Amino acid sequence: MIVVMKKGATPEQVEKVKSKVKEFGFDHHVIVGEERTVVACVGTGNRKDLEGLRLIDGVLDLVPISKPFKLASREVKKQTTVIPVRNGQVEIGANKIVVMAGPCSVESEEQILTTAKAVKQAGATILRGGAWKPRTSPYSFQGLEEDGLKLLDLARKETGLAVITEVMNPRDIDVVERYTDIMQVGARNVQNFSMLKELGQCKIPIFLKRGLSTTIQEWLMSAEYIISSGNPNVILCERGIRTFETATRNTLDLNAVPVLKEQTHLPVIVDPAHGTGFWQYVTPMACAAIAAGADGIMVEVHPKPSEAWSDGGQSLKFDTFNELMRQIRSIAHAVGREI
Ligand code: PEP
Ligand code: MN
């Protein structure tokens, strides 16, 4: 249920609503929009109790939320959420398209620094790089772990780029949070509910990738776990799903972009690298993602993809990344976005 406050409702009136909501056994989340403030009531209390809230001064209306995801739903917030990264140095969800780029895995100081400089030069504002890698085989490279985080931190200091990296295990959340500006939850962890609840306690934004076989609704329920645990800054990333098609690594579900834009206020990023698995398809699908309304893209870039320790086949070289940037600039302008 959402309690819609009247325009000009006082903070005291909002407080009164919050304390009543709590009394009735619900959690409350105040969402201040451009046009209205609402108090979203979520939890397992008796909905009938909430009816009495109509009588509180400053309350305009009570509206049920029809979707199972409540706080993530467009019903509670009409405008797309704009998520500030690194004290607002970058904003995700605003008119400006955000480009996150970097290697699949952090491999060495030279690799991450040269890549960071190249992607910054080309126009990326966020550096990606994995320090813990979710590999299908236990015999594949598993990541440099904390040493990788330190290298990302070094690249962040040298270039001023914001940084995103994956956290794979709840026990690593503290250390990852110390070195990064956004924490990524990988496709394989999207329904690791205990980790999602812990990430809800973190202060930095969470980048939630879609699972290989999660429906859009299941994915949004995962976002709801993070938000309802206290962290409203969730960014969704479509990265392809598993289908019968074998020509590509995954099937990049660009349908998800307009569906999400309709159903949720959370920003949407598309990852055409994991979505296709082939560097040749990355730029066309990045263009398609921007045309479809995505708020940004995440791509893999490596100085020498043929020598990459992971995902070389879907990684762009510096010159192909430059070409991607050139192409998405035109598309972004064509659909009224800055870049
Ligand atoms: C990655 O971003 O390198 C990654 C492992 O992504 P996903 O979880 O989407 O497979
Ligand atoms: Mn990868």
Side-chain angles (χ1 to χ4, degrees), residues 132 149 166-180 183 185 192 194-204 206:
W132 274 269
L149 296 178
E166 175 165 354
V167 60
M168 270 179 56
N169 194 309
R171 70 168 177 251
D172 301 323
I173 291 176
D174 286 348
V175 63
V176 176
E177 196 176 15
R178 276 207 291 284
Y179 291 102
T180 194
M183 269 192 281
V185 176
N192 182 342
S194 50
M195 183 156 95
L196 299 179
K197 283 190 213 169
E198 288 203 28
L199 290 168
Q201 312 279 309
C202 295
K203 298 280 170 276
I204 61 173
I206 308 300

Side-chain angles (χ1 to χ4, degrees), residues 159-234:
T159 59
L161 288 169
V163 160
I164 177 169
T165 197
E166 175 165 354
V167 60
M168 270 179 56
N169 194 309
R171 70 168 177 251
D172 301 323
I173 291 176
D174 286 348
V175 63
V176 176
E177 196 176 15
R178 276 207 291 284
Y179 291 102
T180 194
D181 302 299
I182 307 174
M183 269 192 281
Q184 171 170 324
V185 176
R188 291 150 193 85
N189 260 322
V190 66
Q191 290 191 313
N192 182 342
F193 300 118
S194 50
M195 183 156 95
L196 299 179
K197 283 190 213 169
E198 288 203 28
L199 290 168
Q201 312 279 309
C202 295
K203 298 280 170 276
I204 61 173
I206 308 300
F207 188 79
L208 184 65
K209 285 194 149 194
R210 182 175 184 179
L212 279 72
S213 61
T214 43
T215 63
I216 292 173
Q217 179 165 312
E218 287 163 344
W219 181 19
L220 287 169
M221 294 310 290
S222 292
E224 190 78 11
Y225 263 96
I226 303 172
I227 304 173
S228 63
S229 306
N231 187 345
N233 291 328
V234 178

